[in-house]
Amino acid sequence: MRLNNFHLTYCTNIHPGANWTSTFQSLKDYVPGIKEEISSKKPFGLGLRLSNKASEELNTKSNLQELKQWLQDQEVYVFTMNGFPYGNFHDERVKDQVHAPDWTTSDRLKYTKRLFDQLAYLLPEGVEGGISTSPISYKYWHPTERSKEEAFEKGAKNLAEVVWHLYQLEETTAKYMHLDIEPEPDGLIENSDEVLMFFERYLVPLASDILADRLGAKKIDLENLIKRYITVCYDICHFSLAYEEPSYTLPKFENAGIKVGKIQVSAALKIVYTEENEHQIWESLARFNEPTYLHQVTEKKGDVVVTYNDLPIVLEQKQPFKELRAHFHVPIFLEQFGQLYATQDHILKVIDYLKKYQVSEHLEVETYTWDVLPEELKKDLSTSIIRELKWLIDRL
């Protein structure tokens, strides 16, 4: 929905979507009821998530035309997509495979270009479109500095192909779309320093060489062209895990000429140590230990953020700490979970910042861990999504 110059939605990665049939059925089951509660009299925006298989099947028969007609009939429009998870995201172990295939591969490039072709077809006239994506690769897959450099180089070259694709799409359709790189703990890009490093050292120089050959005599500022189409997805949960305040990170991106294509409104778990409640804290945290997703845990020691690559490591060690933060995408409308907390305060700081500086048009609530929450926190899915959106709307 449109609210105060923002397009506001939730991400449908919360719904089953292994193939197009299950994806479309989930949209039919959930979206009309959510729209009725949130935006009954105005068009409702949607953050669509398509697995590679669902995207392939969407291009067969008349599926894409049927989706567009269904969206029009429901007064729903797609303005953003989640192109991070390539495969199934439900009912099976995901963990580090959420990054696979990464940006060193042609499979990731082919998938992303297909998503943009589909978004261009679905995107309403005059609305900016975006797709969020992996932070190049998973850090532990590249154990040496040279292997990391090679991954950045291959990733930058594949992203140059995305820039070229988006440039051509805008020329032919007059629709502006961008690819939003999403930093997260243990990704090759984790924080704002690494975003700037990747743009300056790899993306801009390598993509400029590729694009200069193709554009020929056209006098185009290549750095601005690259930064027009490759932007950042500012996932609030992820940047809270990096212990970066929005008042630090967002101006930093602006000063570097890097745009924020999308803000994903999400909260991490926050664990504050108290000696008298130590046993209850560990007991509460253990209830969030589940085998589906990666739950990186971060701790700030002085000026350094230390990352433990999954929650079981921390639970096994049970070392004293001042504060830990865990990658869990907990419900944004809750501030406390028994002995544990959420980084909801980080969301509120971002909202305050947005009231002064609109750094992005796209806001997407991304809470996807409903199925793996402790039992007492589970509610009817539609009710939970509606409550999340209403909480955000009230604060905007």
Side-chain angles (χ1 to χ4, degrees):
M1 64 177 288
R2 190 79 171 168
L3 178 69
N4 299 346
N5 298 319
F6 298 107
H7 293 281
L8 170 66
T9 186
Y10 78 100
C11 182
T12 64
N13 65 352
I14 193 172
H15 304 309
N19 55 42
W20 174 242
T21 300
S22 63
T23 298
F24 198 20
Q25 190 59 53
S26 293
L27 298 179
K28 291 175 180 176
D29 289 344
Y30 290 100
V31 172
I34 293 169
K35 178 193 182 301
E36 180 62 28
E37 287 291 326
I38 297 297
S39 185
S40 61
K41 293 181 169 50
K42 295 190 293 184
F44 180 67
L46 197 62
L48 184 62
R49 188 260 157 169
L50 298 174
S51 69
N52 180 63
K53 185 176 182 182
S55 174
E56 287 178 332
E57 293 174 350
L58 183 57
N59 272 359
T60 63
K61 303 177 183 177
S62 58
N63 288 339
L64 188 56
Q65 294 86 346
E66 289 175 8
L67 172 60
K68 187 169 186 175
Q69 187 60 55
W70 182 82
L71 291 167
Q72 290 173 350
D73 293 344
Q74 300 297 323
E75 292 189 295
V76 173
Y77 64 101
V78 176
F79 65 91
T80 186
M81 288 185 174
N82 186 338
F84 194 147
Y86 178 96
N88 192 17
F89 200 57
H90 289 270
D91 304 321
E92 64 182 61
R93 184 180 174 89
V94 178
K95 293 295 182 179
D96 62 334
Q97 291 304 302
V98 72
H99 292 275
D102 65 15
W103 272 105
T104 67
T105 67
S106 58
D107 284 344
R108 172 64 66 173
L109 175 60
K110 183 179 178 181
Y111 166 59
T112 304
K113 287 168 69 175
R114 188 191 320 116
L115 289 181
F116 273 117
D117 291 341
Q118 291 166 338
L119 180 57
Y121 180 77
L122 299 172
L123 190 66
E125 298 290 337
V127 176
E128 178 183 310
I131 297 177
S132 50
T133 193
S134 151
I136 309 304
S137 189
Y138 183 56
K139 193 163 284 186
Y140 287 98
W141 295 347
H142 308 281
T144 68
E145 286 306 310
R146 181 57 197 150
S147 63
K148 288 186 178 72
E149 288 175 4
E150 289 173 352
F152 280 131
E153 289 167 1
K154 289 178 183 176
K157 290 175 181 177
N158 278 329
L159 289 176
E161 299 298 330
V162 175
V163 173
W164 180 244
H165 192 66
L166 293 177
Y167 171 76
Q168 292 177 303
L169 277 174
E170 188 171 11
E171 289 281 293
T172 56
T173 68
K175 292 182 178 180
Y176 167 53
M177 297 177 292
H178 40 76
L179 182 65
D180 315 326
I181 298 174
E182 183 179 336
E184 76 164 43
D186 287 336
L188 270 187
I189 300 175
E190 296 191 65
N191 52 48
S192 61
D193 282 343
E194 291 178 353
V195 169
L196 266 60
M197 178 278 298
F198 175 66
F199 272 78
E200 292 169 5
R201 191 181 303 174
Y202 297 98
L203 181 59
V204 171
L206 292 174
S208 293
D209 288 344
I210 292 169
L211 294 168
D213 289 340
R214 297 183 188 177
L215 289 165
K218 288 188 178 180
K219 295 189 180 299
I220 294 176
D221 185 322
L222 292 176
E223 181 172 350
N224 284 338
L225 186 74
I226 293 161
K227 289 179 177 179
R228 173 173 175 78
Y229 294 118
I230 306 297
T231 65
V232 172
C233 172
Y234 182 96
D235 185 304
I236 299 177
C237 167
H238 297 174
F239 278 94
S240 71
L241 289 163
Y243 292 81
E244 289 196 20
E245 294 291 316
S247 58
Y248 165 81
T249 305
L250 295 172
K252 189 174 177 180
F253 288 154
E254 184 178 4
N255 291 338
I258 297 171
K259 297 179 182 178
V260 177
K262 172 163 67 178
I263 294 175
Q264 284 182 324
V265 183
S266 55
L269 267 181
K270 180 164 63 176
I271 308 101
V272 180
Y273 180 81
T274 57
E275 192 171 334
E276 62 272 20
N277 291 335
E278 181 180 5
H279 177 73
Q280 293 95 320
I281 288 171
W282 287 120
E283 195 174 66
S284 295
L285 188 57
R287 288 164 51 243
F288 283 85
N289 186 24
E290 59 79 35
T292 307
Y293 305 109
L294 265 182
H295 299 296
Q296 304 95 323
V297 179
T298 61
E299 180 181 13
K300 192 168 187 182
K301 295 183 176 182
D303 293 329
V304 177
V305 176
V306 177
T307 301
Y308 309 92
N309 70 323
D310 209 353
L311 180 56
I313 296 169
V314 174
L315 291 172
E316 185 178 332
Q317 293 177 350
K318 290 187 178 177
Q319 295 294 320
F321 62 91
K322 183 178 179 182
E323 180 182 316
L324 299 175
R325 297 180 183 182
H327 184 200
F328 211 95
H329 286 245
V330 291
I332 65 172
F333 56 80
L334 291 172
E335 186 179 5
Q336 193 165 354
F337 303 86
Q339 298 293 325
L340 311 179
Y341 299 86
T343 57
Q344 189 192 79
D345 58 323
H346 206 96
I347 298 174
L348 296 173
K349 290 174 185 176
V350 171
I351 291 172
D352 286 343
Y353 193 90
L354 289 174
K355 289 176 179 177
K356 299 174 185 174
Y357 314 101
Q358 186 176 338
V359 297
S360 177
E361 290 186 6
H362 293 179
L363 299 181
E364 179 184 58
V365 174
E366 198 204 13
T367 304
Y368 59 78
T369 52
W370 300 102
D371 288 346
V372 296
L373 284 172
E375 283 299 323
E376 68 272 15
L377 296 176
K378 292 182 181 179
K379 303 289 183 185
D380 168 76
L381 189 54
S382 291
T383 302
S384 298
I385 295 167
I386 290 164
R387 187 174 177 183
E388 298 253 281
L389 289 168
K390 285 186 173 179
W391 181 90
L392 181 57
I393 289 165
D394 286 347
R395 278 140 193 87
L396 285 168

